[in-house]
Amino acid sequence: MCDLIARTGRLQQRYENGCRLVAGCIPFRYRISEEVGDDSECGKVVEVLMISSSGGPGLLFPKGGWENDETVREAAAREAVEEAGVRGILLDLVGEYEFKSKTHQDEFCPEGLCKAAMYALYVKEELDSWPEQETRSRTWLTIPEAVENCRHAWMKCALEDGFCKWHQDKGHELIQ
């Protein structure tokens, strides 16, 4: 049983110009590569953590509503704990992405438009129990595997155009 409790409901939800504001992250770690001839930096392979969707096939990155009593960075870190059961160092914003939610239409956002701020999260701890572990499983994947299994086009874009470019420019500083 998990002592942490996931936030629910829309009372504290932030909106801007008819869009629901969302915060999330791309959790990642480094795995030592054992392959001969591997061209990864320093023999380390980047893996990203994805979670199962509660609404169908495919995998997702943790994300959810940004609430009035927290910063966008706090919301992104909270979603990582609630949905994926991980904690770490929240690094840079890798991008902002607009998408249309089929399941989150309400009086403030009747079209279901959302704007997500996505961050890189360097994972330092995987929790044994977390709030949504009964409804979500987590899986570590290489970047190509994640691209192949990603449920939403905007999340693929966040991974390929946001995270990968960020990692190429700044993430390599973490490898030492």
Side-chain angles (χ1 to χ4, degrees):
M1 177 134 149
C2 180
D3 293 336
L4 301 169
I5 298 171
R7 290 185 176 201
T8 58
R10 297 287 165 116
L11 294 176
Q12 296 294 318
Q13 183 67 73
R14 288 182 190 241
Y15 294 87
E16 180 181 88
N17 300 324
C19 283
R20 177 175 174 247
L21 299 181
V22 171
C25 62
I26 298 178
F28 73 100
R29 70 179 181 189
Y30 297 103
R31 177 180 48 83
I32 303 295
S33 175
E34 297 176 10
E35 294 180 23
V36 176
D38 186 9
D39 59 358
S40 62
E41 193 167 345
C42 299
K44 293 185 179 181
V45 175
V46 178
E47 292 182 322
V48 295
L49 183 69
M50 298 190 80
I51 56 174
S52 60
S53 168
S54 56
L59 298 175
L60 312 168
F61 294 112
K63 60 106 182 105
W66 172 16
E67 299 188 355
N68 290 324
D69 64 345
E70 61 190 351
T71 67
V72 66
R73 293 177 63 83
E74 289 169 339
R78 174 179 51 78
E79 290 296 335
V81 170
E82 288 180 3
E83 293 188 350
V86 292
R87 288 189 177 116
I89 302 168
L90 194 67
L91 299 167
D92 298 324
L93 177 73
V94 297
E96 293 184 334
Y97 303 89
E98 294 183 358
F99 63 97
K100 190 170 183 176
S101 173
K102 294 176 183 170
T103 58
H104 291 107
Q105 298 168 339
D106 59 29
E107 63 184 292
F108 301 108
C109 184
E111 300 295 318
L113 300 175
C114 298
K115 183 173 158 183
M118 296 294 287
Y119 290 85
L121 176 76
Y122 185 38
V123 174
K124 299 297 248 173
E125 179 184 14
E126 287 184 61
L127 304 174
D128 291 330
S129 62
W130 67 96
E132 297 186 22
Q133 74 183 57
E134 297 298 321
T135 57
R136 296 192 190 273
S137 60
R138 58 189 179 193
T139 307
W140 287 101
L141 302 166
T142 63
I143 302 287
E145 291 170 335
V147 168
E148 185 177 318
N149 288 285
C150 196
R151 179 176 176 163
H152 300 298
W154 76 268
M155 284 191 177
K156 280 184 191 178
C157 185
L159 178 60
E160 293 179 302
D161 298 338
F163 177 82
C164 288
K165 286 181 182 173
W166 168 84
H167 188 267
Q168 184 176 8
D169 293 342
K170 289 187 172 182
H172 68 275
E173 296 168 7
L174 297 170
I175 301 176
Q176 300 198 3

